[in-house]
Amino acid sequence: MSRAFVFGDAIDTDLLAPGNLMKLPPAELAQHCLKAIAPDFASTVRPGDVVFAGANFGLGSSREQAAVSLRLLGVSAVLATSFARIFYRNAINLGLPAFVFPQVGEMTDGDRILLDPVAGRLENITTGKTYALTPIPPHLMAMIDDGGLIPHLKRRLKGAAA
Amino acid sequence: MSGRTLVEKVIAKAAGLPSVRAGDLVTAKVDLAFAHDSSGPRRWRPLLEELGVGLWDPSKVAIVSDHYVPAVDAESAAILKGTRDFARDYGVSSFFDMVGICHLVLPEHGLIRPGAFIAGGDSHTPTAGAFGAYAAGYGATDMAAIAATGETWLAVPETIRVEWTGAFQPGVTAKDVMLFLCRELGMDNAFKAVEFAGPLVEAMPMAERMVLANMAAELGAETGVVAPDATTFAYLAARGAPVADEAAALALHSDPDATYAAVHRFDASDLSPQIAAPHSPANTRDATEFAQIRIDQAYIGACVGAKIEDLRMAAAVLKGRRVAPGVRLLVAPGSARTAELAAREGVMETLLAAGAVLMPSGCGACAGMGAGILAEGETCISSTNRNFQGRMGHAGANVYLGSPYAVAAAATAGRIVDPRPYLTGAA
Ligand code: SF4
C-alpha cells in the first residue's frame, strides 16, 4: 500500500537536489532529496509511495536529478496543483508519472493511497474518496509506456532503420 | 485570421508550418542546441551511446564549460575533462572551455540569432530570447534526444505581454524590473512565454534586455522575448555576425492583433530599487524595507549580474569607497571578455581598490558549485537570479537578491541599503 507524502507550494529544485551536492553519485544525492524541509523524507519513503504538492512543483534549475532522486527513492508518481515546465518534461522523460491534481488539499501526510496511473484513478483509502485524474496526453503516455524518452526514441530510431 | 505573436512566428518557422497558434502540439527543428559541463556531455554521452548515434549536426551544437570551473577537486576535474573529450570525440566546433557563462559567451560570439529556435540544457536559456529567439531550457534527457535528432515536441505557449513605459530613476535597473515582476506576476507561469515591450524596453541596450529575458525563468516562463530591432542588429554586427536579412527579423514582431494570455502595463518612473528576501525571488520589496539587514558577503556574479555593464554599476558605487569591515565582496566577471574589458577600462582597478576579491569567470557560487559559498547562519546579498534555500551553500544561509548597484552599496555599508544616495554622493 502506498502512503502519501504531502508538501506545500513552490518545491524548488534546490530542495529536491541541492546544487552544492550535484557531484555526488545519483543514489547518494537522492538521500538529500527534500532534506532541508523534511529531514526524514529520504529515509522513510518507500517504493510505491506518492508525493503530493501544491503549486509550481519543481521550479528552478533544469537539473534532471530533481526527478531522478524521487524515482530512485521509489516514488511512484507526483501529483501537484501545477508543475514547472522543465520538471514536468523531465519527469515524463524519465518515466515518472506527473499528474496535475487540484485536490491536493484533501490529502494528509501518511494517508494510504491506491493509485492506478494508467487508468487515471486515485483512491485515498484513509478518507474513502476516489478521484479521476486528468489524463496524461496520448503522445506523452506513449513515452511513459515505453519506459521514458530514451527507450521511446530507441524504438523510433530502430523503426526508421528497419 | 487574427495576428500572431513573435513566439508563434518563430515556432511556426521551426515546425515548417505556415502558421501555428497557442495550444498547437508541434515538432520543431532546432537551430542551436547547447549545454554546459554540468548538464551536457556527462549526461549526453551515455544516452547517445545507448541510442547508438552521434550528434545530429555538430555544427549546430555548442558546449560551454562554466559550472565546475576551474576544477577544485578530482570530481570536478573529471567532469571538465569529460566535457573536453566529448567536444573532441563528437566534433563540436563551438566549444568554449572556461571563458565564461554560457548565456553570455554564446551571444558574445554572435551565435544567438533573431528568429532561431534554441534549446539549452539550462533553465536560464531564455536569456537568448533577448535577441528575438525562442529559447527554452530542457533537462538532460530531453537535450540528449535533441542532440541526437535535432528536434523536439512542444505545445505552442500562450504569450504574456509586459509593457513598460517611463524611464528609470538613476540607480534603478532591469534587475529591479524583474524582481518586481517576480512579486507581481508570481513564479508560476509555466508553459507561457513572456514578451517584454514598450518604450522603456525598446530604449534598453542588449545587456538590460538580457536581464529581462534571463529572469523570465524566475517567472516560471518557458521563454522570454524582446523583439529584434536596430539595437539587436548593432550588437550582433559588432560581434562580427551581422544579421543578413533585417527585414525578415523585423517581420517577427508580434502583430498588433495578436492574441495574448494577458497584457500588463507598468511605468518605470516610480520604480525604486528592489530586493528579494530569502528564499524566493518573489519575496521582493523596496530596498528601504530591509535597512536593518547586516551582511557577511556580497556577491557580484552570474549570467544575470556580472556583465561589463553590471561591473560598471558596482564600480560607480564603490569608486573611492571601501568594503565595510567584516564584509567580503566577491566579484566573478561573467566571461573572460568581461574581465578583460573591466581591466582595460579601469573598472577592475576600482573594485580591487575597494577590497573586492576577484573570482574566476563562471557560475561560481551562484549554483553552490564553485568557490564562495556560504556557511550556516551567514547572510549574503547577491546580483544572481535565485535565492532558493540551500542554493548558495548551507540550507541555513540567507541570500538576498538585488541589482549590482544594491550589492555594491550593501558591501560598503555593511548592511542592505537603498543604493541611490551612493550614486549621487549623498551617502
Ligand atoms: S550563473 Fe547561475 S543562474 Fe546563470 S547559468 Fe550559472 S548557475 Fe545558472
Side-chain angles (χ1 to χ4, degrees):
Chain A
M1 178 92 42
S2 309
R3 292 166 307 158
F5 284 79
V6 184
F7 297 94
D9 291 341
I11 300 299
D12 63 64
T13 49
D14 280 289
L15 294 175
L16 292 162
N20 58 339
L21 302 174
M22 286 275 290
K23 279 181 293 192
L24 291 177
E28 281 176 47
L29 180 63
Q31 295 307 313
H32 298 270
C33 185
L34 294 166
K35 200 174 188 171
I37 52 167
D40 299 329
F41 175 71
S43 56
T44 52
V45 70
R46 287 196 304 259
D49 286 348
V50 177
V51 165
F52 293 90
N56 211 9
F57 187 87
L59 77 155
S61 159
S62 65
R63 66 184 69 140
E64 214 163 54
Q65 288 85 341
V68 171
S69 290
L70 291 170
R71 238 195 31 172
L72 286 176
L73 293 172
V75 170
S76 66
V78 183
L79 289 84
T81 14
S82 65
F83 288 93
R85 171 184 154 274
I86 303 178
F87 179 89
Y88 182 80
R89 288 185 70 117
N90 288 347
I92 301 287
N93 286 341
L94 296 166
L96 172 68
F99 289 95
V100 173
F101 185 64
Q103 301 93 335
V104 167
E106 297 175 17
M107 303 289 143
T108 309
D109 229 30
D111 281 356
R112 287 173 307 140
I113 300 293
L114 209 56
L115 172 70
D116 183 342
V118 180
R121 186 174 171 279
L122 177 100
E123 184 179 352
N124 184 329
I125 295 168
T126 308
T127 64
K129 281 196 184 175
T130 51
Y131 304 85
L133 301 175
T134 321
I136 293 178
H139 73 289
L140 297 183
M141 210 57 220
M143 206 186 288
I144 295 179
D145 282 347
D146 284 344
L149 174 58
I150 294 299
H152 182 66
L153 205 55
K154 226 172 170 174
R155 258 182 53 157
R156 240 187 57 195
L157 290 174
K158 219 191 270 161
Chain B
M1 190 180 84
S2 69
R4 294 289 183 264
T5 64
L6 186 154
V7 165
E8 288 168 336
K9 292 183 192 186
V10 174
I11 294 173
K13 192 160 66 72
L17 296 168
S19 92
V20 300
R21 61 167 62 249
D24 291 355
L25 199 59
V26 301
T27 298
K29 291 217 179 313
V30 170
D31 296 301
L32 174 69
F34 76 90
H36 49 64
D37 49 329
S38 184
S39 70
R42 67 173 171 147
R43 314 287 319 283
W44 291 9
R45 188 189 277 271
L47 296 174
L48 291 173
E49 284 172 358
E50 193 183 333
L51 291 170
V53 296
L55 299 173
W56 104 98
D57 184 348
S59 73
K60 291 184 176 174
V61 175
I63 301 287
V64 183
S65 283
D66 56 12
H67 273 56
Y68 287 110
V69 301
V72 292
D73 53 21
E75 286 87 4
S76 47
I79 291 169
L80 292 172
K81 178 171 185 302
T83 307
R84 286 178 203 116
D85 292 350
F86 180 94
R88 184 198 58 219
D89 297 349
Y90 285 81
V92 178
S93 47
S94 296
F95 173 48
F96 302 98
D97 195 6
M98 309 213 315
V99 292
I101 304 166
C102 54
H103 309 301
L104 303 180
V105 169
L106 298 179
E108 271 178 358
H109 288 82
L111 290 169
I112 304 298
R113 316 299 298 169
F117 188 108
I118 299 173
D122 188 89
S123 61
H124 287 99
T125 302
T127 313
F131 293 80
Y134 167 94
Y138 296 84
T141 303
D142 251 339
M143 279 311 300
I146 291 168
T149 64
E151 57 183 48
T152 191
W153 67 269
L154 76 154
V156 178
E158 286 185 298
T159 295
I160 299 170
R161 185 172 161 99
V162 183
E163 290 178 11
W164 283 84
T165 53
F168 288 138
Q169 297 170 30
V172 181
T173 68
K175 178 67 174 287
D176 300 296
V177 163
M178 290 314 297
L179 293 175
F180 169 84
L181 288 178
C182 284
R183 186 188 72 204
E184 290 301 310
L185 305 185
M187 298 175 68
D188 192 2
N189 298 290
F191 301 95
K192 298 270 195 304
V194 177
E195 175 175 305
F196 300 96
L200 179 82
V201 177
E202 286 161 21
M204 280 182 180
M206 288 313 298
E208 289 187 80
R209 295 180 185 185
M210 286 166 71
V211 170
L212 302 183
N214 178 288
M215 286 190 68
E218 275 54 54
L219 299 176
E222 181 162 332
T223 191
V225 290
V226 178
D229 61 9
T231 303
T232 323
F233 304 148
Y235 176 103
L236 289 169
R239 268 102 194 137
V243 172
D245 191 346
E246 294 187 359
L250 293 171
L252 293 169
H253 284 232
S254 291
D255 298 326
D257 56 344
T259 310
Y260 294 101
V263 180
H264 302 277
R265 293 191 177 85
F266 301 100
D267 187 337
S269 320
D270 37 52
L271 184 68
S272 61
Q274 303 290 302
I275 296 286
H279 298 287
S280 166
N283 273 347
T284 294
R285 280 180 280 154
D286 290 354
T288 46
E289 294 192 36
F290 298 102
Q292 296 320 313
I293 305 291
R294 304 207 139 271
I295 60 159
D296 302 292
Q297 176 167 310
Y299 186 72
I300 305 267
C303 49
V304 74
K307 301 176 293 306
I308 185 65
E309 292 80 2
D310 302 310
L311 269 48
R312 284 181 197 140
M313 290 182 210
V317 168
L318 290 169
K319 187 143 195 80
R321 292 195 167 91
R322 289 282 305 171
V323 171
V327 172
R328 49 192 193 263
L329 169 63
L330 310 184
V331 178
S335 69
R337 278 195 194 175
T338 302
E340 192 191 328
L341 213 52
R344 215 186 304 150
E345 289 182 3
V347 163
M348 199 69 89
E349 194 183 333
T350 303
L351 297 176
L352 294 176
V357 177
L358 182 61
M359 310 290 282
S361 285
C363 295
C366 173
M369 293 176 176
I373 64 177
L374 303 163
E376 182 170 17
E378 286 192 321
T379 299
C380 176
I381 182 167
S382 176
S383 74
T384 55
N385 41 30
R386 301 193 163 134
N387 57 348
F388 298 144
Q389 187 173 10
R391 179 174 172 87
M392 219 174 176
H394 198 281
N398 287 314
V399 179
Y400 292 80
L401 304 177
S403 74
Y405 286 133
V407 173
T412 185
R415 58 187 175 83
I416 294 177
V417 290
D418 184 333
R420 286 173 294 184
Y422 290 79
L423 293 165
T424 57

